[in-house]
Amino acid sequence: MHFNYNKLWKLLIDRGMEKKELKEAANVSSASLAKLAKGENIQTDVLLRICEALDVELNDIVDTVRD
């Protein structure tokens, strides 16, 4: 099982928000955003900061996918 962050990218598009703006609003590193873009695992505190910055729940930005 792995995480899929397509919901996050769609949400950013819907809001007209760039990754750079998300990085600043959520105070996350470029490395964390790169990991998200590659579908890699990141720390849960980073996901929670993104949720807080976007005022959404975790399930609004992440899906779990069975391998």
Side-chain angles (χ1 to χ4, degrees), residues 2-43:
H2 64 275
F3 290 114
N4 179 302
Y5 304 104
N6 288 341
K7 285 181 171 180
L8 171 61
W9 309 129
K10 183 177 181 331
L11 182 65
L12 292 181
I13 290 168
D14 291 346
R15 293 188 180 187
M17 187 178 209
E18 295 183 8
K19 290 179 184 178
K20 180 181 177 182
E21 294 171 300
L22 174 64
K23 178 184 172 230
E24 293 169 1
N27 193 28
V28 296
S29 68
S30 297
S32 291
L33 282 181
K35 285 183 177 184
L36 285 169
K38 294 176 186 176
E40 296 177 1
N41 292 333
I42 62 168
Q43 294 182 8

